[in-house]
């Protein structure tokens, strides 16, 4: 069966759409910032067009990135770092749970209204269903993690220490910068959608440049950009 072209009925070229979505999701820019940057390149689009493209193609790009990466992430079952941050939606506190592997790859993002045992259990089951069970699970001292891990028979894999979970805490920073640029979220569903898309795009372009030489960094960056430009090809 021939694969349907998702860009078929759009007047704007697929290259411009991919560029606009990448700028908006990857960098801490507003919709109007992206509009201005594209205008400087001679591309006349409105910020509402950028909003529509991100809603339409963002999840599609993220799903394709995740499908390619999950197949080659066997080492991610070694050590996971779990952490949660609060995000306000219309003045009400919600929690964004995130699982990060030992290399900083964001494995899963999940939004809940509470951070009790039920929420932690749902988050863990969702992550393990997609990525399998890790050998070690690093968490903070929130009791919900211990109760949830005990229920699924993985309490012996949990590790907690004051500085042991810095990998997960540092991984929140790009999302926090992005959240400020978006002036927070208005719905729980939009937060879940953006967190999932942002995680996949971050994984693709995050090169840990401080740990690699300049030549390797340039090579990996070019490969990531080439993969992005090939997403959702007909």
């Amino acid at each position: 069966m021939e694969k349907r072209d998702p860009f078929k009925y759009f007047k704007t070229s697929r290259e411009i759409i991919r560029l606009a979505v990448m700028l908006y999701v990857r960098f801490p820019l507003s919709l109007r910032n992206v509009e201005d940057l594209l205008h400087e390149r001679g591309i006349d689009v409105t910020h509402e067009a950028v909003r529509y493209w991100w809603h339409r193609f963002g999840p599609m790009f993220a799903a394709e990135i995740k499908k390619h990466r999950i197949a080659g992430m066997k080492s991610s079952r070694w050590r996971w770092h779990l952490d949660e941050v609060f995000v306000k939606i219309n003045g009400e506190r919600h929690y964004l749970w995130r699982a990060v592997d030992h290399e900083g790859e964001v494995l899963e993002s999940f939004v809940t209204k509470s951070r009790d045992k039920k929420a932690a259990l749902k988050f863990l089951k969702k992550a393990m269903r997609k990525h399998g069970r890790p050998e070690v699970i690093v968490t903070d001292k929130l009791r919900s993690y211990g109760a949830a891990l005990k229920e699924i028979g993985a309490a012996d894999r949990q590790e907690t220490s004051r500085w042991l979970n810095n990998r997960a805490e540092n991984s929140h920073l790009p999302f926090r910068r992005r959240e400020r640029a978006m002036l927070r979220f208005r719905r729980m569903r939009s937060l879940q959608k953006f967190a999932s898309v942002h995680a996949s795009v971050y994984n693709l372009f995050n090169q840990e440049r401080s740990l690699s030489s300049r030549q390797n960094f340039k090579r990996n960056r070019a490969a990531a950009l080439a993969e992005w430009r090939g997403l959702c090809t007909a």
Side-chain angles (χ1 to χ4, degrees):
M1 183 176 178
E2 187 178 352
K3 187 177 179 181
R4 177 179 173 273
D5 182 7
F7 302 97
K8 184 175 182 180
Y9 298 105
F10 286 80
K11 295 181 180 179
T12 309
S13 70
R14 64 190 67 203
E15 290 78 14
I16 292 175
I17 293 175
R18 286 199 195 96
L19 175 61
V21 174
M22 183 190 71
L23 289 175
Y24 181 64
V25 178
R26 183 183 175 191
F27 301 107
L29 301 171
S30 68
L31 293 166
R32 287 176 173 79
N33 290 152
V34 176
E35 178 185 347
D36 290 342
L37 287 173
L38 293 176
H39 177 72
E40 290 179 6
R41 297 186 175 202
I43 304 170
D44 185 21
V45 298
T46 67
H47 69 278
E48 288 297 338
V50 178
R51 186 200 305 276
Y52 179 77
W53 293 340
W54 120 249
H55 277 292
R56 175 72 179 270
F57 293 100
M60 199 180 303
F61 294 157
E64 191 165 336
I65 293 171
K66 186 175 291 187
K67 183 176 69 174
H68 292 161
R69 297 180 80 81
I70 284 179
M73 288 170 60
K74 304 300 182 184
S75 62
S76 292
R77 296 183 183 178
W78 172 50
R79 180 188 292 268
W80 288 5
H81 297 260
L82 310 183
D83 197 29
E84 74 290 337
V85 292
F86 74 88
V87 182
K88 284 193 173 182
I89 302 176
N90 294 326
E92 184 179 353
R93 178 172 290 191
H94 291 67
Y95 297 93
L96 174 62
W97 305 71
R98 300 170 83 243
V100 181
D101 73 358
H102 62 284
E103 294 182 337
E105 194 93 353
V106 182
L107 303 176
E108 197 62 50
S109 301
F110 188 60
V111 182
T112 63
K113 291 185 177 180
S114 61
R115 56 172 181 172
D116 53 10
K117 173 188 171 182
K118 182 179 179 181
L121 188 61
K122 195 172 182 179
F123 167 59
L124 284 167
K125 285 182 176 179
K126 181 181 180 183
M128 290 182 180
R129 186 168 58 248
K130 292 182 179 180
H131 303 280
R133 286 199 172 202
E135 297 177 15
V136 179
I137 301 176
V138 182
T139 71
D140 55 24
K141 296 183 179 180
L142 180 68
R143 293 183 180 181
S144 301
Y145 288 120
L149 289 170
K150 184 177 180 180
E151 182 162 328
I152 61 177
D156 58 323
R157 308 187 184 197
Q158 184 183 17
E159 291 185 3
T160 58
S161 180
R162 186 176 182 183
W163 309 113
L164 200 60
N165 212 23
N166 282 354
R167 169 66 76 178
E169 293 172 0
N170 290 336
S171 76
H172 293 315
L173 298 179
F175 178 81
R176 284 299 199 192
R177 287 193 291 267
R178 197 66 198 80
E179 179 193 14
R180 287 193 293 270
M182 295 179 70
L183 302 177
R184 302 189 183 278
F185 298 89
R186 293 176 176 82
R187 291 186 299 171
M188 186 173 170
R189 185 172 63 180
S190 63
L191 170 58
Q192 177 66 71
K193 182 178 181 179
F194 187 85
S196 299
V197 174
H198 181 269
S200 292
V201 176
Y202 173 79
N203 289 340
L204 178 62
F205 290 101
N206 180 32
Q207 304 298 332
E208 294 282 351
R209 66 170 65 194
S210 61
L211 303 178
S212 59
S213 66
R214 177 65 180 172
Q215 290 300 320
N216 286 338
F217 168 72
K218 290 169 64 177
R219 192 179 301 114
N220 292 336
R221 182 175 59 183
L225 193 57
E227 183 178 342
W228 176 266
R229 289 171 175 167
L231 293 177
C232 297
T233 53

PDB file of all heavy atoms in Angstrom, residues 24 38 56 76 115 154 162 177-178 192 215 220 225:
ATOM      1  N   TYR A  24      10.347  26.235  16.212  1.00  0.00           N
ATOM      2  CA  TYR A  24       9.415  26.471  17.318  1.00  0.00           C
ATOM      3  C   TYR A  24       9.591  25.476  18.456  1.00  0.00           C
ATOM      4  O   TYR A  24       9.558  25.852  19.629  1.00  0.00           O
ATOM      5  CB  TYR A  24       7.973  26.409  16.803  1.00  0.00           C
ATOM      6  CG  TYR A  24       6.952  26.666  17.886  1.00  0.00           C
ATOM      7  CD1 TYR A  24       6.891  27.907  18.525  1.00  0.00           C
ATOM      8  CD2 TYR A  24       6.070  25.680  18.286  1.00  0.00           C
ATOM      9  CE1 TYR A  24       5.970  28.152  19.524  1.00  0.00           C
ATOM     10  CE2 TYR A  24       5.139  25.913  19.286  1.00  0.00           C
ATOM     11  CZ  TYR A  24       5.099  27.154  19.906  1.00  0.00           C
ATOM     12  OH  TYR A  24       4.189  27.380  20.905  1.00  0.00           O
ATOM     13  N   LEU A  38      11.575  33.590   9.885  1.00  0.00           N
ATOM     14  CA  LEU A  38      11.284  33.139   8.527  1.00  0.00           C
ATOM     15  C   LEU A  38      11.174  34.326   7.565  1.00  0.00           C
ATOM     16  O   LEU A  38      11.586  34.243   6.398  1.00  0.00           O
ATOM     17  CB  LEU A  38       9.991  32.326   8.515  1.00  0.00           C
ATOM     18  CG  LEU A  38      10.042  30.982   9.249  1.00  0.00           C
ATOM     19  CD1 LEU A  38       8.663  30.336   9.241  1.00  0.00           C
ATOM     20  CD2 LEU A  38      11.061  30.059   8.616  1.00  0.00           C
ATOM     21  N   ARG A  56      -0.264  20.091  13.703  1.00  0.00           N
ATOM     22  CA  ARG A  56      -0.534  19.043  12.714  1.00  0.00           C
ATOM     23  C   ARG A  56       0.647  18.094  12.544  1.00  0.00           C
ATOM     24  O   ARG A  56       0.474  16.861  12.511  1.00  0.00           O
ATOM     25  CB  ARG A  56      -0.884  19.712  11.377  1.00  0.00           C
ATOM     26  CG  ARG A  56      -1.078  18.748  10.211  1.00  0.00           C
ATOM     27  CD  ARG A  56      -2.354  17.955  10.317  1.00  0.00           C
ATOM     28  NE  ARG A  56      -2.534  17.063   9.184  1.00  0.00           N
ATOM     29  CZ  ARG A  56      -3.174  17.404   8.061  1.00  0.00           C
ATOM     30  NH1 ARG A  56      -3.698  18.632   7.946  1.00  0.00           N
ATOM     31  NH2 ARG A  56      -3.302  16.548   7.079  1.00  0.00           N
ATOM     32  N   SER A  76      19.501   1.596  26.933  1.00  0.00           N
ATOM     33  CA  SER A  76      18.684   2.422  27.812  1.00  0.00           C
ATOM     34  C   SER A  76      18.019   1.609  28.916  1.00  0.00           C
ATOM     35  O   SER A  76      17.410   2.173  29.811  1.00  0.00           O
ATOM     36  CB  SER A  76      17.616   3.160  26.992  1.00  0.00           C
ATOM     37  OG  SER A  76      18.226   4.124  26.166  1.00  0.00           O
ATOM     38  N   ARG A 115       0.771  13.511  42.346  1.00  0.00           N
ATOM     39  CA  ARG A 115       2.010  12.720  42.305  1.00  0.00           C
ATOM     40  C   ARG A 115       1.994  11.649  43.400  1.00  0.00           C
ATOM     41  O   ARG A 115       2.949  11.481  44.152  1.00  0.00           O
ATOM     42  CB  ARG A 115       3.244  13.605  42.429  1.00  0.00           C
ATOM     43  CG  ARG A 115       3.318  14.496  43.642  1.00  0.00           C
ATOM     44  CD  ARG A 115       4.671  15.160  43.705  1.00  0.00           C
ATOM     45  NE  ARG A 115       4.802  16.026  44.869  1.00  0.00           N
ATOM     46  CZ  ARG A 115       5.951  16.592  45.232  1.00  0.00           C
ATOM     47  NH1 ARG A 115       7.043  16.375  44.538  1.00  0.00           N
ATOM     48  NH2 ARG A 115       6.000  17.362  46.302  1.00  0.00           N
ATOM     49  N   ALA A 154       9.711  -4.296  41.459  1.00  0.00           N
ATOM     50  CA  ALA A 154      11.006  -3.748  41.066  1.00  0.00           C
ATOM     51  C   ALA A 154      11.615  -2.890  42.175  1.00  0.00           C
ATOM     52  O   ALA A 154      12.467  -2.045  41.900  1.00  0.00           O
ATOM     53  CB  ALA A 154      10.859  -2.922  39.791  1.00  0.00           C
ATOM     54  N   ARG A 162      21.322  11.862  47.393  1.00  0.00           N
ATOM     55  CA  ARG A 162      21.136  13.310  47.281  1.00  0.00           C
ATOM     56  C   ARG A 162      21.501  13.840  45.897  1.00  0.00           C
ATOM     57  O   ARG A 162      20.784  14.637  45.324  1.00  0.00           O
ATOM     58  CB  ARG A 162      21.967  14.021  48.352  1.00  0.00           C
ATOM     59  CG  ARG A 162      21.721  15.512  48.391  1.00  0.00           C
ATOM     60  CD  ARG A 162      22.484  16.169  49.518  1.00  0.00           C
ATOM     61  NE  ARG A 162      22.214  17.596  49.588  1.00  0.00           N
ATOM     62  CZ  ARG A 162      22.796  18.424  50.447  1.00  0.00           C
ATOM     63  NH1 ARG A 162      23.674  17.944  51.321  1.00  0.00           N
ATOM     64  NH2 ARG A 162      22.510  19.708  50.445  1.00  0.00           N
ATOM     65  N   ARG A 177      12.952  26.302  29.919  1.00  0.00           N
ATOM     66  CA  ARG A 177      13.191  27.470  29.062  1.00  0.00           C
ATOM     67  C   ARG A 177      12.110  27.578  27.995  1.00  0.00           C
ATOM     68  O   ARG A 177      11.633  28.676  27.679  1.00  0.00           O
ATOM     69  CB  ARG A 177      14.579  27.371  28.416  1.00  0.00           C
ATOM     70  CG  ARG A 177      15.727  27.615  29.360  1.00  0.00           C
ATOM     71  CD  ARG A 177      17.024  27.818  28.616  1.00  0.00           C
ATOM     72  NE  ARG A 177      17.485  26.597  27.973  1.00  0.00           N
ATOM     73  CZ  ARG A 177      18.328  25.726  28.530  1.00  0.00           C
ATOM     74  NH1 ARG A 177      18.801  25.943  29.747  1.00  0.00           N
ATOM     75  NH2 ARG A 177      18.715  24.645  27.878  1.00  0.00           N
ATOM     76  N   ARG A 178      11.721  26.437  27.453  1.00  0.00           N
ATOM     77  CA  ARG A 178      10.667  26.422  26.430  1.00  0.00           C
ATOM     78  C   ARG A 178       9.323  26.829  27.019  1.00  0.00           C
ATOM     79  O   ARG A 178       8.543  27.535  26.389  1.00  0.00           O
ATOM     80  CB  ARG A 178      10.583  24.999  25.837  1.00  0.00           C
ATOM     81  CG  ARG A 178       9.851  24.950  24.528  1.00  0.00           C
ATOM     82  CD  ARG A 178      10.645  25.703  23.478  1.00  0.00           C
ATOM     83  NE  ARG A 178       9.817  26.046  22.335  1.00  0.00           N
ATOM     84  CZ  ARG A 178       8.976  27.071  22.301  1.00  0.00           C
ATOM     85  NH1 ARG A 178       8.824  27.867  23.335  1.00  0.00           N
ATOM     86  NH2 ARG A 178       8.279  27.334  21.211  1.00  0.00           N
ATOM     87  N   GLN A 192       0.755  17.741  27.646  1.00  0.00           N
ATOM     88  CA  GLN A 192       1.194  16.384  27.329  1.00  0.00           C
ATOM     89  C   GLN A 192       1.680  16.286  25.879  1.00  0.00           C
ATOM     90  O   GLN A 192       2.711  15.665  25.599  1.00  0.00           O
ATOM     91  CB  GLN A 192       0.037  15.394  27.558  1.00  0.00           C
ATOM     92  CG  GLN A 192       0.355  13.955  27.194  1.00  0.00           C
ATOM     93  CD  GLN A 192       1.404  13.349  28.096  1.00  0.00           C
ATOM     94  OE1 GLN A 192       1.156  13.084  29.266  1.00  0.00           O
ATOM     95  NE2 GLN A 192       2.604  13.137  27.569  1.00  0.00           N
ATOM     96  N   GLN A 215      34.980  17.881  15.599  1.00  0.00           N
ATOM     97  CA  GLN A 215      34.684  17.151  14.370  1.00  0.00           C
ATOM     98  C   GLN A 215      33.530  16.176  14.564  1.00  0.00           C
ATOM     99  O   GLN A 215      32.637  16.077  13.716  1.00  0.00           O
ATOM    100  CB  GLN A 215      35.933  16.394  13.902  1.00  0.00           C
ATOM    101  CG  GLN A 215      37.034  17.293  13.381  1.00  0.00           C
ATOM    102  CD  GLN A 215      36.587  18.131  12.194  1.00  0.00           C
ATOM    103  OE1 GLN A 215      35.865  17.653  11.319  1.00  0.00           O
ATOM    104  NE2 GLN A 215      37.019  19.383  12.159  1.00  0.00           N
ATOM    105  N   ASN A 220      27.800  14.624  13.922  1.00  0.00           N
ATOM    106  CA  ASN A 220      26.539  14.197  14.529  1.00  0.00           C
ATOM    107  C   ASN A 220      25.424  15.220  14.289  1.00  0.00           C
ATOM    108  O   ASN A 220      24.270  14.847  14.072  1.00  0.00           O
ATOM    109  CB  ASN A 220      26.723  13.990  16.035  1.00  0.00           C
ATOM    110  CG  ASN A 220      27.624  12.815  16.351  1.00  0.00           C
ATOM    111  OD1 ASN A 220      27.759  11.905  15.545  1.00  0.00           O
ATOM    112  ND2 ASN A 220      28.254  12.841  17.510  1.00  0.00           N
ATOM    113  N   LEU A 225      20.382  16.676  11.469  1.00  0.00           N
ATOM    114  CA  LEU A 225      19.656  17.566  10.564  1.00  0.00           C
ATOM    115  C   LEU A 225      19.189  16.822   9.317  1.00  0.00           C
ATOM    116  O   LEU A 225      18.076  17.043   8.825  1.00  0.00           O
ATOM    117  CB  LEU A 225      20.536  18.747  10.186  1.00  0.00           C
ATOM    118  CG  LEU A 225      19.857  19.938   9.510  1.00  0.00           C
ATOM    119  CD1 LEU A 225      18.734  20.489  10.391  1.00  0.00           C
ATOM    120  CD2 LEU A 225      20.864  21.040   9.204  1.00  0.00           C
TER     121      LEU A 225
END
